[in-house]
Each structure stands twice: as structure tokens, then as C-alpha cells.
Amino acid sequence: MSTFVELSRAVEGGKRNDAKLLTQALLEQGIKPLEVVEQGLVPGMSAIGEKFKNNEVFVPEMLIAARAMKECMAILEPLLADAGIKPKYTAVIGTVQGDLHDIGKNLVAMMLKGANFGIVDLGTNVAPEKFVAAVQEHGAQLVCLSALLTTTMPAMRTTVQAVRDAGLASVKILVGGAPVTQDFCNEIGADGYSQDAASAVNLALRLAETY
Amino acid sequence: MDRKYYLDLAEAGLRMPIGTHLVLHEHADHEAVILDGERLGGVVADTADRFNTPLAVPLMDLKLEKEALLHAMGIPDADIESYHFDEAPSATPSFVLTPRIRATCDAISHVAKKPGLVPMGMGIGPFSLMTKLVSDPITPVFLAGTGLTAEDEPEIALIERAIEIGTQIILDYFTAQIDAGAKALIVCEPAANLVYFSPNQLDNSFEIFDRYVTGPMRRVKALLDSRGVDLVFHDCGELTNSMVGRFASLDAAMISFGCSRQLWEDAALVPKSTVLYGNLPTKNFISSQMTVAEVERLSKNLLEKMRSTGHPFILGSECDVLSVPGSEREILSKVDAFMNLSI
């Protein structure tokens, strides 16, 4: 088994100490940091994401895997920055104003990071103008909005409107959360709806490519 | 109370939403109402009257216990909502009656004076409270399920301590509600679900679920039993059959599950001495795609299937029905649809 495959499996299984050791080992072998990400970490997160989509694993396993990946990225990110390598796409993500729930939002953020997106995580209870400012500051191609409560769904509509009103028509807006539906997504003028974190990654990639 | 009371309500075909939020928000000054026990009690009584039920269900606000706990620890009010523990607090803070909690207890006292109404209390369960006190509750629960302990992982120590002090605050709050006159308590554990507990892990052992959810809930049940107060257990999260079985073992007077459950199948998992309540998809009532006709179809289907099981059942909502500004009529039309359906 190659070290890349071992690393992927360590990430998939949430074995963070093994994953960090394997990351170090690959770097010591002279492998470029971006290759470690693309051939070791991303396949591991993709594999667990696929299992999540098929109900073979659940949120806790996803989080454990994401934690392993995050700790490997902490080793790799300074090296990537030194080499001038930036993620191809940037996504601004947050839970809309009035809503403090963040499990779904965090999962999507971690999955997107696993797919090599640059992530600007604004946290929870985020005002529309903060989303707009973050998109402008970071030149994001994608905005991801999360809401868990029916009472905060109107804030999703307001945020979509604020992004459009700011002249960011080409920025793609992805929405999700328990009460959100494809119909609601269409109604408020968002570009995509995903019902789970793993599907959100494929959708985000598709939307970002049409930016 | 006599458990037969709830069985008789089910037998009589009671239907009701958890609708206090809807009625509360008909008051322009609802922010003031929730701080005024007399007026809040009036809203609770009006809600029971509106939906023709003797069960006086309080406002479901599961933030009050966190607020009380952190207030007692001296956390500034403005920080409470988003505050999370960085490390396990060593001392258990004393329970304090915050203005909201005082009003909630006063509202129960107000309802208790009304003949024909069952004054009910409400609160969050110990596990769900813990999930509001730490920034990542899922990872340590999973790690504990792999056999790691509080000595191995500080994150596990943190959640275990949070459950411990949270349970004490909850017991104190429930005692205050019982002292105010509550005859039944609705305990909400929406976080005890398969987002927080991997079914793969539970397939091997339920020890972690019992340690963090069922065990603390048994302490709550023991308090209620000692005061002659009935348990109404609510969990609108996504559950496995085994989780339902664990909750069934709490011997609640009523159990309310979310719409991810098929209640006619759960009837086989829950004793007939426990009334099943629910579980129309009220979170979707805001959507125009969820038509009145669809609500009627779902209600009819649920009523027929529950009748075929012979299990005591009250038709209602999957959770509290929230009033959303601008969508009040849309939501109420769906509530009216299942309340008024003739079958």
C-alpha cells in the first residue's frame, strides 16, 4: 500500500495521529505539499463523504475524519502559502442572522475544505452585510447559507437579496438546512440547494465552475 | 396525576399543536409578555383554549437553562447566547431565577388557578443542554464511545462535567416549576439523535448513550416521580429504533417524536401506557408547497394507521409550531387543517 493510500485511509478513519505522521513522512520523502493534499487528504475526505451520502457513516465519523484532515492541513498550509499556492475557489459560509445552529454549517465547511476550497467561515448569526463584505474582501465565488429554524428562513432571503443588491450577481449562492427545500431555494433566488454536506461539495464545485 | 387521564384524552380523539409560540406572537409586545408571568400564563391558557385542549403547554424556549447557568457563573448577558466552555468548570453554580425563568414559573402558577387546565412545565434535557455549552459536543461523545475516558481526553472531561452541572441546574429548574404548580413536565432532548451518536458505534454498545442521555434522564424521572409529576418526553431529532426503545423505557405519560419517525411503527416499541403524540411535519407548514390538502392527507393517513395499531395517540405537531413574520396565515391554515379535519 502506498503512503498516499495509507494517508487517505487514516483520514477516512479519523486516525489523526497516524494521519499527521504519514503527512510528515510524505514531506520527508520530498513530496510536494499540494500533492499530499490532492492525493492523500482529498481522497480520504471524498471517501468518507461518499459513505456519508450513502448512510454508511454518520456525522460523528465525518467530524472525526475532518479533524484528522484539519490537523494535517495545519502542517501543510504554511508550506502551501510559502510556495504561493492558493485554493482555486473561495467560499464564504455562515449561519444566517438570528440562527445560532452550526453543526450543518461546520460540516459543509469541513467538506469544502477537504475539496480544497478556501473557506471564510463567518460563524453563526451572521448579518447580511457581513456576508457581502466578506465576499468583496476575499473575492469569493461562492456563498453558503445555513438555517435550521423556520423563523430564520426569511433571513436567508434577505441575505440573498443583499448579495444581489451589492452587484455580486455572478457569485453563486448555495443554501441548506433542515427546513430549507429546493422550492424555497428557487423562490429566494439562490443558485443551489443541497440536503446534506457531501452533496454540497459536488454542487459547490459545479457552481464555482460556472462563476 | 393518574396516567389514565392522558389515555382518556387519546381515547377521546384529542388533537393539538404545540402552539404557544403562534399565540404569543399575535401580541405585538410579545417580548414584554415573556417577562410577565401573569400575561404569559394568560397566553398559555389562551393557547389551550384556542386549540381546545386541557393540556396547558408552556412556551418552548430551550435557552433558559443555559442562560440561568451562565448567569450564575457571572457571564455577561450579552455573551451568554454564543458562550461555550473552554475548560470544565470546577464548581457547580447555584441556580438563580432569571427574569425569564421567574416569569415562566409565575405563568405556571397562573395557569394552575384555572379550572380544567393541566399546568405543564417545560425544559431542556441534560444531554441537549450540554450540546449548547461546548463548541464541539460531537467529537468527544464519539471518542468516549471508542473507549477513551475523561483522563485520556480533556474534551471528554469537559462534556462530562457540563452534563453533570447541567443536570443539576435542570433539576433545580424543574423543582421550581413543580413548586409553581406544574403537574406534568415536557422534557426536550432534541440533540439525543443520530447526529450526535453514530448508529455504527451504538451497534456495538449503547453504553455511551445510556451514560450521557438515558442515565441523566432517569435522574430527571426520579425527581418527577418523587413529586407525583408526569413526564412528557420530546425528541424531534432523527432516531434509531434502539434509541426509541431507550426512551420508551423512561415510562413517560406521553412521548413526542419528530416527523422522521413513523409513529405507527414506533407503537410496537413503546408501551401502551405511554401515549404517542405527533408528528405532522409542522416545520414545513411555512412552505406553500405543503398545501392544506397535503396536511389533510397526512393527518388522515396518520390517524388511520395509528388507529390500526390500537396505540393511544394524540395527533399533533412534530415540534413547537413557530410563528414566522409574514407567514402567520400560511402556517395557521395548515394547523387549522389538521385540527378541523373530519375523520
Side-chain angles (χ1 to χ4, degrees):
Chain A
M1 192 191 307
S2 79
T3 312
F4 281 127
V5 174
E6 281 184 80
L7 175 56
S8 292
R9 290 192 180 169
V11 168
E12 187 185 338
K15 296 180 169 59
R16 58 178 170 158
N17 292 332
D18 292 352
K20 282 191 289 185
L21 286 173
L22 290 160
T23 298
Q24 290 287 11
L26 284 166
L27 292 173
E28 282 160 19
Q29 288 169 30
I31 306 291
K32 289 182 180 161
L34 189 59
E35 275 182 69
V36 179
V37 174
E38 289 179 343
Q39 294 184 48
L41 304 185
V42 172
M45 285 306 291
S46 300
I48 192 91
E50 203 54 34
K51 286 184 177 176
F52 180 70
K53 208 155 63 179
N54 297 330
N55 286 328
E56 292 169 45
V57 299
F58 299 87
V59 171
E61 287 96 333
M62 284 278 294
L63 285 183
I64 294 287
R67 184 163 87 153
M69 191 206 73
K70 191 176 167 188
E71 294 193 10
C72 296
M73 286 302 292
I75 299 168
L76 296 167
E77 269 171 347
L79 305 174
L80 290 166
D82 286 349
I85 296 166
K86 290 181 183 166
K88 191 172 174 188
Y89 303 117
T90 298
V92 169
I93 187 166
T95 309
V96 296
Q97 192 159 37
D99 205 319
L100 292 169
H101 298 88
D102 65 359
I103 293 173
K105 184 267 296 173
N106 291 346
L107 270 178
V108 172
M110 284 187 266
M111 291 296 292
L112 287 177
K113 201 160 187 185
N116 208 17
F117 272 77
I119 295 296
V120 181
D121 188 345
L122 300 177
T124 61
N125 191 21
V126 182
E129 56 271 22
K130 277 196 179 174
F131 280 105
V132 172
V135 170
Q136 288 168 332
E137 182 186 344
H138 298 278
Q141 294 82 20
L142 193 69
V143 179
C144 304
L145 307 178
S146 172
L148 186 81
L149 304 171
T150 47
T151 46
T152 55
M153 286 167 72
M156 204 170 246
R157 182 193 301 272
T158 314
T159 306
V160 171
Q161 195 57 50
V163 172
R164 300 306 183 216
D165 287 350
L168 301 166
S170 58
V171 170
K172 304 300 176 190
I173 304 175
L174 199 159
V175 295
V180 180
T181 60
Q182 182 65 54
D183 290 324
F184 182 71
C185 165
N186 298 342
E187 190 184 312
I188 64 174
D191 298 292
Y193 156 76
S194 174
Q195 65 173 10
D196 63 65
S199 310
V201 176
N202 296 334
L203 180 59
L205 282 167
R206 224 167 48 237
L207 290 173
E209 279 161 12
T210 62
Y211 175 77
Chain B
M1 278 175 51
D2 183 353
R3 292 278 290 271
K4 193 168 175 302
Y5 181 80
Y6 304 95
L7 299 172
D8 287 346
L9 289 177
E11 177 69 27
L14 179 70
R15 300 174 197 176
M16 57 177 283
I18 303 174
T20 314
H21 192 269
L22 287 177
V23 176
L24 172 70
H25 282 254
E26 289 173 0
H27 296 258
D29 62 341
H30 53 84
E31 293 288 346
V33 173
I34 59 175
L35 291 167
D36 181 334
E38 186 114 345
R39 291 189 69 200
L40 182 59
V43 166
V44 172
D46 287 349
T47 305
D49 185 49
R50 169 89 61 92
F51 297 115
N52 202 22
T53 171
L55 302 179
V57 178
L59 183 67
M60 188 187 282
D61 187 342
L62 305 183
K63 293 181 293 200
L64 300 188
E65 294 85 349
K66 178 180 179 184
E67 187 183 305
L69 172 59
L70 297 184
H71 187 79
M73 293 176 65
I75 307 300
D77 287 351
D79 298 339
I80 282 177
E81 209 161 60
S82 59
Y83 185 89
H84 293 126
F85 290 138
D86 291 328
E87 56 184 41
S90 51
T92 300
S94 307
F95 175 67
V96 287
L97 286 172
T98 61
R100 287 289 313 279
I101 282 184
R102 189 182 297 280
T104 299
C105 291
D106 289 348
I108 292 169
S109 298
H110 179 83
V111 170
K113 291 180 203 145
K114 304 253 180 197
L117 290 182
V118 178
M120 302 179 90
M122 169 97 70
I124 196 168
F127 181 78
S128 297
L129 176 56
M130 178 279 289
T131 66
K132 291 177 180 287
L133 294 172
V134 302
S135 59
D136 173 14
I138 301 176
T139 303
V141 168
F142 186 84
L143 293 175
T146 65
L148 294 173
T149 67
E151 279 96 53
D152 302 319
E153 283 282 346
E155 288 173 280
I156 296 175
L158 180 62
I159 62 159
E160 292 188 350
R161 182 74 185 129
I163 289 175
E164 196 180 320
I165 61 174
T167 303
Q168 191 52 54
I169 290 290
I170 285 167
L171 292 173
D172 290 343
Y173 179 36
F174 288 174
T175 299
Q177 292 186 70
I178 294 165
D179 290 345
K183 300 291 181 211
L185 262 155
I186 304 169
V187 184
C188 307
E189 271 289 24
N193 63 46
L194 53 78
V195 170
Y196 290 85
F197 292 90
S198 166
N200 293 336
Q201 206 169 45
L202 297 183
D203 277 348
N204 297 323
S205 166
F206 245 78
E207 192 276 327
I208 202 68
F209 192 84
D210 288 336
R211 194 193 318 167
Y212 293 152
V213 179
T214 326
M217 270 306 302
R218 290 200 193 289
R219 288 182 63 192
V220 170
K221 181 66 164 63
L223 167 72
L224 302 193
D225 286 348
S226 73
R227 299 290 304 270
V229 171
D230 299 314
L231 170 66
V232 175
F233 183 81
H234 170 76
D235 187 343
C236 56
E238 206 171 334
L239 307 173
T240 64
N241 285 350
S242 303
M243 290 174 179
V244 169
R246 284 309 203 269
F247 297 141
S249 74
L250 292 171
D251 189 31
M254 286 172 61
I255 288 186
S256 152
F257 289 136
C259 66
S260 67
R261 299 300 302 176
Q262 313 280 20
L263 291 186
W264 55 92
E265 292 174 4
D266 290 344
L269 306 170
V270 175
K272 281 205 159 46
S273 53
T274 297
V275 173
L276 278 168
Y277 170 83
N279 66 348
L280 293 169
T282 43
K283 286 175 187 169
N284 293 333
F285 279 12
I286 189 174
S287 164
S288 54
Q289 275 72 39
M290 172 64 75
T291 60
V292 163
E294 177 63 3
V295 172
E296 287 174 346
R297 189 192 68 76
L298 291 169
S299 305
K300 190 166 177 284
N301 181 52
L302 185 51
L303 282 167
E304 284 173 354
K305 286 195 160 149
M306 288 308 292
R307 273 179 198 165
S308 72
T309 67
H311 197 101
F313 171 64
I314 294 174
L315 180 68
S317 46
E318 63 175 326
C319 194
D320 58 334
V321 188
L322 296 172
S323 176
V324 180
S327 300
E328 295 91 340
R329 289 173 68 87
E330 181 86 44
I331 293 167
L332 262 175
S333 69
K334 320 291 171 59
V335 172
D336 288 343
F338 82 77
M339 289 297 292
N340 300 332
L341 178 70
S342 39
I343 175 172

PDB file of all heavy atoms in Angstrom, chain B residues 285-307:
ATOM      1  N   PHE B 285     -44.775  23.717   7.396  1.00  0.00           N
ATOM      2  CA  PHE B 285     -46.057  24.412   7.203  1.00  0.00           C
ATOM      3  C   PHE B 285     -45.855  25.806   6.596  1.00  0.00           C
ATOM      4  O   PHE B 285     -46.772  26.383   6.038  1.00  0.00           O
ATOM      5  CB  PHE B 285     -46.813  24.534   8.533  1.00  0.00           C
ATOM      6  CG  PHE B 285     -47.569  23.279   8.936  1.00  0.00           C
ATOM      7  CD1 PHE B 285     -47.359  22.076   8.280  1.00  0.00           C
ATOM      8  CD2 PHE B 285     -48.499  23.314   9.972  1.00  0.00           C
ATOM      9  CE1 PHE B 285     -48.050  20.926   8.661  1.00  0.00           C
ATOM     10  CE2 PHE B 285     -49.196  22.172  10.351  1.00  0.00           C
ATOM     11  CZ  PHE B 285     -48.976  20.980   9.699  1.00  0.00           C
ATOM     12  N   ILE B 286     -44.661  26.335   6.733  1.00  0.00           N
ATOM     13  CA  ILE B 286     -44.360  27.663   6.181  1.00  0.00           C
ATOM     14  C   ILE B 286     -44.366  27.639   4.647  1.00  0.00           C
ATOM     15  O   ILE B 286     -44.610  28.638   3.996  1.00  0.00           O
ATOM     16  CB  ILE B 286     -42.985  28.156   6.698  1.00  0.00           C
ATOM     17  CG1 ILE B 286     -42.759  29.617   6.314  1.00  0.00           C
ATOM     18  CG2 ILE B 286     -41.847  27.288   6.201  1.00  0.00           C
ATOM     19  CD1 ILE B 286     -41.503  30.219   6.917  1.00  0.00           C
ATOM     20  N   SER B 287     -44.130  26.473   4.092  1.00  0.00           N
ATOM     21  CA  SER B 287     -43.965  26.368   2.637  1.00  0.00           C
ATOM     22  C   SER B 287     -45.321  26.268   1.937  1.00  0.00           C
ATOM     23  O   SER B 287     -46.193  25.498   2.347  1.00  0.00           O
ATOM     24  CB  SER B 287     -43.125  25.122   2.321  1.00  0.00           C
ATOM     25  OG  SER B 287     -43.250  24.797   0.962  1.00  0.00           O
ATOM     26  N   SER B 288     -45.464  27.035   0.861  1.00  0.00           N
ATOM     27  CA  SER B 288     -46.718  26.963   0.110  1.00  0.00           C
ATOM     28  C   SER B 288     -46.839  25.631  -0.618  1.00  0.00           C
ATOM     29  O   SER B 288     -47.928  25.230  -1.027  1.00  0.00           O
ATOM     30  CB  SER B 288     -46.815  28.130  -0.868  1.00  0.00           C
ATOM     31  OG  SER B 288     -45.667  28.156  -1.689  1.00  0.00           O
ATOM     32  N   GLN B 289     -45.697  24.945  -0.780  1.00  0.00           N
ATOM     33  CA  GLN B 289     -45.749  23.613  -1.413  1.00  0.00           C
ATOM     34  C   GLN B 289     -46.424  22.589  -0.502  1.00  0.00           C
ATOM     35  O   GLN B 289     -46.980  21.601  -0.975  1.00  0.00           O
ATOM     36  CB  GLN B 289     -44.348  23.126  -1.777  1.00  0.00           C
ATOM     37  CG  GLN B 289     -43.850  23.619  -3.124  1.00  0.00           C
ATOM     38  CD  GLN B 289     -43.502  25.084  -3.110  1.00  0.00           C
ATOM     39  OE1 GLN B 289     -42.952  25.580  -2.135  1.00  0.00           O
ATOM     40  NE2 GLN B 289     -43.840  25.791  -4.168  1.00  0.00           N
ATOM     41  N   MET B 290     -46.347  22.804   0.813  1.00  0.00           N
ATOM     42  CA  MET B 290     -47.066  21.945   1.758  1.00  0.00           C
ATOM     43  C   MET B 290     -48.486  22.502   1.861  1.00  0.00           C
ATOM     44  O   MET B 290     -48.763  23.400   2.650  1.00  0.00           O
ATOM     45  CB  MET B 290     -46.351  21.952   3.122  1.00  0.00           C
ATOM     46  CG  MET B 290     -47.082  21.249   4.250  1.00  0.00           C
ATOM     47  SD  MET B 290     -47.300  19.488   4.034  1.00  0.00           S
ATOM     48  CE  MET B 290     -45.653  18.884   4.379  1.00  0.00           C
ATOM     49  N   THR B 291     -49.355  21.996   1.017  1.00  0.00           N
ATOM     50  CA  THR B 291     -50.696  22.573   0.910  1.00  0.00           C
ATOM     51  C   THR B 291     -51.599  22.079   2.043  1.00  0.00           C
ATOM     52  O   THR B 291     -51.298  21.080   2.703  1.00  0.00           O
ATOM     53  CB  THR B 291     -51.335  22.177  -0.430  1.00  0.00           C
ATOM     54  OG1 THR B 291     -51.411  20.742  -0.452  1.00  0.00           O
ATOM     55  CG2 THR B 291     -50.515  22.661  -1.606  1.00  0.00           C
ATOM     56  N   VAL B 292     -52.717  22.770   2.197  1.00  0.00           N
ATOM     57  CA  VAL B 292     -53.733  22.336   3.164  1.00  0.00           C
ATOM     58  C   VAL B 292     -54.187  20.920   2.822  1.00  0.00           C
ATOM     59  O   VAL B 292     -54.340  20.068   3.709  1.00  0.00           O
ATOM     60  CB  VAL B 292     -54.919  23.333   3.145  1.00  0.00           C
ATOM     61  CG1 VAL B 292     -56.153  22.720   3.793  1.00  0.00           C
ATOM     62  CG2 VAL B 292     -54.522  24.629   3.855  1.00  0.00           C
ATOM     63  N   ALA B 293     -54.365  20.656   1.543  1.00  0.00           N
ATOM     64  CA  ALA B 293     -54.803  19.310   1.123  1.00  0.00           C
ATOM     65  C   ALA B 293     -53.776  18.250   1.523  1.00  0.00           C
ATOM     66  O   ALA B 293     -54.133  17.137   1.937  1.00  0.00           O
ATOM     67  CB  ALA B 293     -55.026  19.284  -0.394  1.00  0.00           C
ATOM     68  N   GLU B 294     -52.505  18.591   1.413  1.00  0.00           N
ATOM     69  CA  GLU B 294     -51.454  17.644   1.781  1.00  0.00           C
ATOM     70  C   GLU B 294     -51.445  17.408   3.297  1.00  0.00           C
ATOM     71  O   GLU B 294     -51.274  16.278   3.757  1.00  0.00           O
ATOM     72  CB  GLU B 294     -50.087  18.168   1.309  1.00  0.00           C
ATOM     73  CG  GLU B 294     -48.877  17.322   1.680  1.00  0.00           C
ATOM     74  CD  GLU B 294     -48.881  15.914   1.059  1.00  0.00           C
ATOM     75  OE1 GLU B 294     -49.792  15.583   0.281  1.00  0.00           O
ATOM     76  OE2 GLU B 294     -47.956  15.140   1.396  1.00  0.00           O
ATOM     77  N   VAL B 295     -51.652  18.471   4.051  1.00  0.00           N
ATOM     78  CA  VAL B 295     -51.720  18.328   5.515  1.00  0.00           C
ATOM     79  C   VAL B 295     -52.907  17.424   5.878  1.00  0.00           C
ATOM     80  O   VAL B 295     -52.804  16.550   6.746  1.00  0.00           O
ATOM     81  CB  VAL B 295     -51.839  19.705   6.210  1.00  0.00           C
ATOM     82  CG1 VAL B 295     -52.116  19.543   7.707  1.00  0.00           C
ATOM     83  CG2 VAL B 295     -50.563  20.512   6.000  1.00  0.00           C
ATOM     84  N   GLU B 296     -54.010  17.634   5.195  1.00  0.00           N
ATOM     85  CA  GLU B 296     -55.201  16.795   5.467  1.00  0.00           C
ATOM     86  C   GLU B 296     -54.912  15.337   5.122  1.00  0.00           C
ATOM     87  O   GLU B 296     -55.281  14.428   5.868  1.00  0.00           O
ATOM     88  CB  GLU B 296     -56.396  17.309   4.654  1.00  0.00           C
ATOM     89  CG  GLU B 296     -56.944  18.622   5.205  1.00  0.00           C
ATOM     90  CD  GLU B 296     -58.044  19.229   4.338  1.00  0.00           C
ATOM     91  OE1 GLU B 296     -58.210  18.778   3.177  1.00  0.00           O
ATOM     92  OE2 GLU B 296     -58.703  20.157   4.811  1.00  0.00           O
ATOM     93  N   ARG B 297     -54.230  15.136   4.010  1.00  0.00           N
ATOM     94  CA  ARG B 297     -53.908  13.749   3.604  1.00  0.00           C
ATOM     95  C   ARG B 297     -52.984  13.086   4.626  1.00  0.00           C
ATOM     96  O   ARG B 297     -53.210  11.949   5.049  1.00  0.00           O
ATOM     97  CB  ARG B 297     -53.239  13.762   2.220  1.00  0.00           C
ATOM     98  CG  ARG B 297     -53.060  12.389   1.612  1.00  0.00           C
ATOM     99  CD  ARG B 297     -52.152  12.420   0.387  1.00  0.00           C
ATOM    100  NE  ARG B 297     -50.766  12.729   0.710  1.00  0.00           N
ATOM    101  CZ  ARG B 297     -49.902  11.883   1.256  1.00  0.00           C
ATOM    102  NH1 ARG B 297     -50.273  10.649   1.532  1.00  0.00           N
ATOM    103  NH2 ARG B 297     -48.662  12.256   1.538  1.00  0.00           N
ATOM    104  N   LEU B 298     -51.956  13.833   5.043  1.00  0.00           N
ATOM    105  CA  LEU B 298     -51.014  13.286   6.027  1.00  0.00           C
ATOM    106  C   LEU B 298     -51.710  12.995   7.361  1.00  0.00           C
ATOM    107  O   LEU B 298     -51.447  11.974   8.005  1.00  0.00           O
ATOM    108  CB  LEU B 298     -49.854  14.272   6.257  1.00  0.00           C
ATOM    109  CG  LEU B 298     -48.877  14.460   5.101  1.00  0.00           C
ATOM    110  CD1 LEU B 298     -47.950  15.649   5.367  1.00  0.00           C
ATOM    111  CD2 LEU B 298     -48.055  13.192   4.882  1.00  0.00           C
ATOM    112  N   SER B 299     -52.597  13.890   7.761  1.00  0.00           N
ATOM    113  CA  SER B 299     -53.316  13.715   9.032  1.00  0.00           C
ATOM    114  C   SER B 299     -54.198  12.475   8.985  1.00  0.00           C
ATOM    115  O   SER B 299     -54.228  11.662   9.924  1.00  0.00           O
ATOM    116  CB  SER B 299     -54.186  14.943   9.328  1.00  0.00           C
ATOM    117  OG  SER B 299     -53.411  16.099   9.309  1.00  0.00           O
ATOM    118  N   LYS B 300     -54.924  12.350   7.882  1.00  0.00           N
ATOM    119  CA  LYS B 300     -55.837  11.207   7.721  1.00  0.00           C
ATOM    120  C   LYS B 300     -55.047   9.906   7.754  1.00  0.00           C
ATOM    121  O   LYS B 300     -55.407   8.946   8.443  1.00  0.00           O
ATOM    122  CB  LYS B 300     -56.578  11.364   6.380  1.00  0.00           C
ATOM    123  CG  LYS B 300     -57.716  10.422   6.149  1.00  0.00           C
ATOM    124  CD  LYS B 300     -58.551  10.929   4.956  1.00  0.00           C
ATOM    125  CE  LYS B 300     -59.672   9.969   4.632  1.00  0.00           C
ATOM    126  NZ  LYS B 300     -59.235   8.770   3.928  1.00  0.00           N
ATOM    127  N   ASN B 301     -53.961   9.911   7.016  1.00  0.00           N
ATOM    128  CA  ASN B 301     -53.108   8.719   6.940  1.00  0.00           C
ATOM    129  C   ASN B 301     -52.576   8.336   8.326  1.00  0.00           C
ATOM    130  O   ASN B 301     -52.622   7.167   8.733  1.00  0.00           O
ATOM    131  CB  ASN B 301     -51.951   9.012   5.979  1.00  0.00           C
ATOM    132  CG  ASN B 301     -51.032   7.829   5.805  1.00  0.00           C
ATOM    133  OD1 ASN B 301     -51.485   6.727   5.499  1.00  0.00           O
ATOM    134  ND2 ASN B 301     -49.740   8.031   6.013  1.00  0.00           N
ATOM    135  N   LEU B 302     -52.093   9.350   9.056  1.00  0.00           N
ATOM    136  CA  LEU B 302     -51.523   9.104  10.378  1.00  0.00           C
ATOM    137  C   LEU B 302     -52.600   8.608  11.345  1.00  0.00           C
ATOM    138  O   LEU B 302     -52.389   7.637  12.094  1.00  0.00           O
ATOM    139  CB  LEU B 302     -50.863  10.394  10.890  1.00  0.00           C
ATOM    140  CG  LEU B 302     -50.106  10.350  12.208  1.00  0.00           C
ATOM    141  CD1 LEU B 302     -49.098   9.206  12.257  1.00  0.00           C
ATOM    142  CD2 LEU B 302     -49.364  11.677  12.442  1.00  0.00           C
ATOM    143  N   LEU B 303     -53.757   9.262  11.317  1.00  0.00           N
ATOM    144  CA  LEU B 303     -54.847   8.835  12.214  1.00  0.00           C
ATOM    145  C   LEU B 303     -55.271   7.397  11.910  1.00  0.00           C
ATOM    146  O   LEU B 303     -55.449   6.586  12.833  1.00  0.00           O
ATOM    147  CB  LEU B 303     -56.048   9.778  12.060  1.00  0.00           C
ATOM    148  CG  LEU B 303     -55.921  11.123  12.789  1.00  0.00           C
ATOM    149  CD1 LEU B 303     -56.984  12.101  12.322  1.00  0.00           C
ATOM    150  CD2 LEU B 303     -56.008  10.931  14.302  1.00  0.00           C
ATOM    151  N   GLU B 304     -55.402   7.087  10.646  1.00  0.00           N
ATOM    152  CA  GLU B 304     -55.851   5.723  10.277  1.00  0.00           C
ATOM    153  C   GLU B 304     -54.813   4.680  10.684  1.00  0.00           C
ATOM    154  O   GLU B 304     -55.154   3.626  11.233  1.00  0.00           O
ATOM    155  CB  GLU B 304     -56.122   5.660   8.770  1.00  0.00           C
ATOM    156  CG  GLU B 304     -57.424   6.339   8.395  1.00  0.00           C
ATOM    157  CD  GLU B 304     -57.652   6.437   6.893  1.00  0.00           C
ATOM    158  OE1 GLU B 304     -56.732   6.077   6.111  1.00  0.00           O
ATOM    159  OE2 GLU B 304     -58.735   6.900   6.500  1.00  0.00           O
ATOM    160  N   LYS B 305     -53.563   4.986  10.416  1.00  0.00           N
ATOM    161  CA  LYS B 305     -52.522   3.998  10.739  1.00  0.00           C
ATOM    162  C   LYS B 305     -52.392   3.829  12.253  1.00  0.00           C
ATOM    163  O   LYS B 305     -52.171   2.713  12.734  1.00  0.00           O
ATOM    164  CB  LYS B 305     -51.193   4.421  10.122  1.00  0.00           C
ATOM    165  CG  LYS B 305     -51.196   4.195   8.617  1.00  0.00           C
ATOM    166  CD  LYS B 305     -49.828   4.251   8.012  1.00  0.00           C
ATOM    167  CE  LYS B 305     -49.846   3.559   6.664  1.00  0.00           C
ATOM    168  NZ  LYS B 305     -48.909   4.123   5.713  1.00  0.00           N
ATOM    169  N   MET B 306     -52.514   4.912  12.995  1.00  0.00           N
ATOM    170  CA  MET B 306     -52.421   4.792  14.455  1.00  0.00           C
ATOM    171  C   MET B 306     -53.629   4.043  15.008  1.00  0.00           C
ATOM    172  O   MET B 306     -53.486   3.251  15.940  1.00  0.00           O
ATOM    173  CB  MET B 306     -52.292   6.180  15.108  1.00  0.00           C
ATOM    174  CG  MET B 306     -50.947   6.837  14.879  1.00  0.00           C
ATOM    175  SD  MET B 306     -49.515   5.805  15.306  1.00  0.00           S
ATOM    176  CE  MET B 306     -49.655   5.678  17.085  1.00  0.00           C
ATOM    177  N   ARG B 307     -54.792   4.270  14.424  1.00  0.00           N
ATOM    178  CA  ARG B 307     -55.974   3.516  14.875  1.00  0.00           C
ATOM    179  C   ARG B 307     -55.769   2.029  14.673  1.00  0.00           C
ATOM    180  O   ARG B 307     -56.158   1.207  15.500  1.00  0.00           O
ATOM    181  CB  ARG B 307     -57.218   3.983  14.114  1.00  0.00           C
ATOM    182  CG  ARG B 307     -57.869   5.173  14.772  1.00  0.00           C
ATOM    183  CD  ARG B 307     -59.080   5.653  14.006  1.00  0.00           C
ATOM    184  NE  ARG B 307     -59.388   7.020  14.435  1.00  0.00           N
ATOM    185  CZ  ARG B 307     -60.184   7.839  13.782  1.00  0.00           C
ATOM    186  NH1 ARG B 307     -60.752   7.457  12.659  1.00  0.00           N
ATOM    187  NH2 ARG B 307     -60.407   9.053  14.240  1.00  0.00           N
TER     188      ARG B 307
END
